[in-house]
């Protein structure tokens, strides 16, 4: 039941960002759909979920610790369990700087498509403005 206190604010934040994007000038990056495939998003999500789980259910975390083999427990002290999630989030920040070659071409294609649609909108707006200027100048008899 405690997880509800975490899930509800996250859902509210997602809805708020979507509404802001829809009704204000907030824009998503053109390659937003590809972000779910990046290492940084996965590491950050898993790290924050693991930290939230360890904080919400400490007895389950300790029983999971007790289930580990003794040789692994001898390498890592039990208080390091809480640092694993923070470490994964830190790795997510570092992963932002690593180029994932399989996603670069897709990102470039999406940016090219968005630039093309933006340029065609600008050209049509410019053409409609110039035709209205011609109409206005002709309407004044000049």
């Amino acid at each position: 039941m405690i997880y509800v206190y975490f899930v509800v604010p996250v859902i509210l934040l997602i809805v708020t960002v979507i509404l802001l994007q829809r009704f204000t000038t907030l824009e998503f990056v053109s390659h937003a759909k590809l972000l779910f495939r990046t290492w940084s998003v996965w590491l950050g999500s898993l790290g924050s979920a693991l930290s939230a789980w360890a904080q919400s259910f400490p007895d389950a975390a300790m029983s999971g610790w007790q289930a580990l083999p003794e040789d692994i427990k001898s390498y890592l002290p039990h208080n390091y369990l809480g640092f694993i999630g923070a470490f994964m989030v830190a790795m997510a920040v570092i992963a932002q700087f690593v180029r994932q070659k399989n996603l670069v071409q897709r990102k470039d294609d999406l940016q090219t498509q968005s630039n093309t649609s933006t340029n065609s909108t600008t050209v049509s707006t410019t053409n409609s403005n110039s035709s209205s200027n011609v109409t206005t100048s002709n309407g004044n008899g000049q």
Side-chain angles (χ1 to χ4, degrees):
M1 186 65 182
I2 290 177
Y3 65 89
V4 173
Y5 295 120
F6 177 74
V7 172
V8 170
V10 169
I11 291 173
L12 287 174
L13 180 66
I14 291 169
V15 169
T16 302
V17 169
I18 290 172
L19 288 174
L20 284 172
Q21 186 264 339
R22 183 149 177 110
F23 296 112
T24 66
T25 58
L26 177 76
E27 290 183 37
F28 292 138
V29 292
S30 61
H31 61 281
K33 292 179 182 177
L34 292 178
L35 291 177
F36 294 108
R37 296 182 182 190
T38 60
W39 298 334
S40 59
V41 170
W42 283 99
L43 286 169
S45 300
L46 291 173
S48 51
L50 183 64
S51 294
W53 173 76
Q55 293 290 326
S56 300
F57 307 107
D59 55 337
M62 285 308 291
S63 66
W65 176 259
Q66 296 300 326
L68 290 175
E70 289 298 324
D71 57 339
I72 293 177
K73 287 195 272 187
S74 65
Y75 288 117
L76 297 172
H78 71 281
N79 60 348
Y80 278 23
L81 182 64
F83 294 121
I84 294 173
F87 177 74
M88 291 178 75
V89 172
M91 291 303 296
V93 172
I94 293 170
Q96 286 283 323
F97 297 100
V98 176
R99 180 177 291 253
Q100 289 181 258
K101 293 179 183 177
N102 58 346
L103 297 179
V104 171
Q105 183 62 37
R106 291 181 187 172
K107 177 185 170 192
D108 292 341
D109 292 343
L110 287 173
Q111 286 179 339
T112 302
Q113 289 174 356
S114 83
N115 287 341
T116 304
S117 66
T118 303
N119 289 340
S120 65
T121 305
T122 305
V123 168
S124 65
T125 305
T126 305
N127 288 340
S128 66
N129 286 343
S130 63
S131 64
S132 66
N133 288 340
V134 169
T135 305
T136 304
S137 63
N138 289 340
N140 290 336
Q142 295 176 354

